[in-house]
Amino acid sequence: MSFTVIEQVPARLNRSELAVPGSNPVFLEKAQKSNADIVFLDLEDAVAPDDKVQARKNIIEALNDLDWSAKTVSVRINGLDTHYMYRDVIDIVEQAGQHLDLIMIPKAGTACDIYALDMLVTQIEAAKGHPNRIGFEMIIETALGMQNVNEIAAASPRNESLHFGVADYAASTKARTTGIGGPNEDYHVLTDKDDAGNRQVHWGDMWHYPITQMVIAARANGLRPIDGPFGDFSDAEGYLAQAKRAATLGCEGKWAIHPSQIELANQAFSPSEKEITKATRILEAMEQAQKEGKGAVALDGRLIDIASIKQAEVMVAAAKQIAALDK
Ligand code: GLV
Ligand code: MG
């Protein structure tokens, strides 16, 4: 271990994070009853400029009038480059901050963006005497944000998670794609010709690198990495494939931009029975090995060692958090 110890943010299930436009009060009420681990009430890109003020009022009402106690609730404010942001923060935190768990900061570009918001939220919480401390979730969705992702992740003790905003990220980096998330047929490898002269096309994952970069910054700062939207909500298989890739790289969850994606995310980011059984057996085998003074042993013909304990513990801890939901 390094002498630098990474403090972990409070454990919070974040398998599915449902996006709900603040402009629609019916959707806000439905979201509160959904199975999403986290709901974010949106003031940013799902809300048209003319609806921003009404959406803010709807969200304040929804936070105050609906019972969010069984859910984690967040509000996505507008970006720091707009004239909506200051009032989003002031009105929402002043009038409903005691019911709010998280603020989602879109297009986070530098550590100073987070610092500025921390200052504002800290003052409002102190002035209002709110008993809770609101956490921050940052969307990494610009070239600038990705370049500064490590500083952003470390910028405030309020920080809880980093989110990959694939749509804005594609726009910001001028990636040649128009879909939201998922693979692109132009991002492929062509095999050499075989004896019959045939070649195969292997699709690659164009998001592998940015997601990995974000996962590293999140984990190096004790935060949760979360994969963002998948636009084609009629393609459940495509969503699941993207979610599994993100989970394999270390993400803890994924956005649902449509209620039908909630269960898919909950499924993709919950360890399976088989994985939990395997992890439990690894822990048992290593406990026995340590009693016998061994650092490594074989289980089912494969080597396991001290690092295997840590991997298995992550799996078992996630399973316990999910099981606690049903109680
Ligand atoms: C999310 O905000 C995105 O841009 O993908
Ligand atoms: Mg975006």
Side-chain angles (χ1 to χ4, degrees):
M1 273 301 208
S2 163
F3 187 56
T4 301
V5 176
I6 301 169
E7 263 187 54
Q8 303 295 316
V9 293
R12 221 191 255 288
L13 273 183
N14 202 162
R15 295 167 302 169
S16 49
E17 181 143 350
L18 179 66
V20 195
S23 42
N24 190 325
V26 177
F27 286 179
L28 296 177
E29 199 166 342
K30 277 193 182 155
Q32 181 261 340
K33 297 194 183 91
S34 75
N35 280 335
D37 290 336
I38 299 188
V39 173
F40 82 78
L41 315 178
D42 194 14
L43 284 170
E44 202 219 13
D45 284 356
V47 177
D50 286 351
D51 297 337
K52 298 273 187 201
V53 172
Q54 186 56 47
R56 221 182 262 144
K57 288 186 185 145
N58 295 343
I59 287 179
I60 291 168
E61 235 173 75
L63 287 171
N64 286 327
D65 297 351
L66 303 175
D67 178 8
W68 295 95
S69 56
K71 209 159 262 334
T72 298
V73 64
S74 178
V75 170
R76 178 164 77 166
I77 57 173
N78 285 283
L80 277 85
D81 59 333
T82 70
H83 64 277
Y84 303 114
M85 187 228 84
Y86 80 99
R87 202 145 276 297
D88 290 345
V89 178
I90 291 170
D91 285 3
I92 290 192
V93 181
E94 274 194 354
Q95 295 173 45
Q98 68 277 31
H99 302 301
L100 189 60
D101 300 300
L102 301 166
I103 288 177
M104 178 178 265
I105 305 168
K107 301 178 182 74
T110 71
C112 296
D113 291 347
I114 316 308
Y115 185 86
L117 276 162
D118 194 353
M119 182 270 294
L120 191 55
V121 173
T122 300
Q123 289 199 14
I124 304 170
E125 280 179 353
K128 299 301 287 183
H130 288 331
N132 54 321
R133 183 177 79 166
I134 296 170
F136 287 165
E137 29 184 23
M138 280 75 54
I139 316 182
I140 305 301
E141 52 182 344
T142 60
L144 183 66
M146 194 57 85
Q147 176 172 266
N148 294 322
V149 65
N150 198 43
E151 289 77 14
I152 290 170
S156 163
R158 293 180 186 271
N159 289 358
E160 284 204 13
S161 53
L162 297 180
H163 298 242
F164 181 52
V166 64
D168 273 303
Y169 183 80
S172 171
T173 53
K174 300 199 191 316
R176 219 184 54 191
T177 189
T178 49
I180 298 184
N184 182 308
E185 65 174 342
D186 285 343
Y187 195 84
H188 66 243
V189 176
L190 204 54
T191 62
D192 284 347
K193 286 183 182 162
D194 63 16
D195 292 344
N198 298 320
R199 310 184 80 171
Q200 286 178 3
V201 173
H202 291 282
W203 286 41
D205 179 2
M206 66 185 288
W207 310 117
H208 177 93
Y209 174 73
I211 292 180
T212 299
Q213 196 179 347
M214 181 193 76
V215 169
I216 293 167
R219 295 301 186 196
N221 289 280
L223 313 185
R224 297 184 296 274
I226 306 296
D227 191 22
F230 186 85
D232 184 356
F233 55 81
S234 60
D235 182 8
E237 274 182 346
Y239 180 97
L240 263 183
Q242 171 63 42
K244 284 184 185 171
R245 281 196 300 276
T248 309
L249 292 176
C251 287
E252 279 184 43
K254 180 163 177 60
W255 289 14
I257 51 129
H258 187 271
S260 64
Q261 295 179 334
I262 296 173
E263 290 308 331
L264 300 174
N266 288 349
Q267 176 193 333
F269 292 93
S270 300
S272 65
E273 280 299 318
K274 199 170 144 200
E275 286 169 318
I276 298 167
T277 308
K278 174 96 188 276
T280 311
R281 287 183 61 228
I282 288 175
L283 291 179
E284 284 163 4
M286 283 307 297
E287 199 182 324
Q288 185 58 31
Q290 283 179 340
K291 275 188 200 146
E292 292 166 13
K294 295 180 193 158
V297 282
L299 181 70
D300 303 334
R302 287 169 194 243
L303 179 87
I304 55 169
D305 63 9
I306 309 278
S308 316
I309 300 183
K310 292 181 194 141
Q311 290 176 345
E313 278 173 349
V314 168
M315 198 77 82
V316 171
K320 277 192 186 146
Q321 254 185 321
I322 294 161
L325 262 191
D326 302 329
K327 287 193 185 139

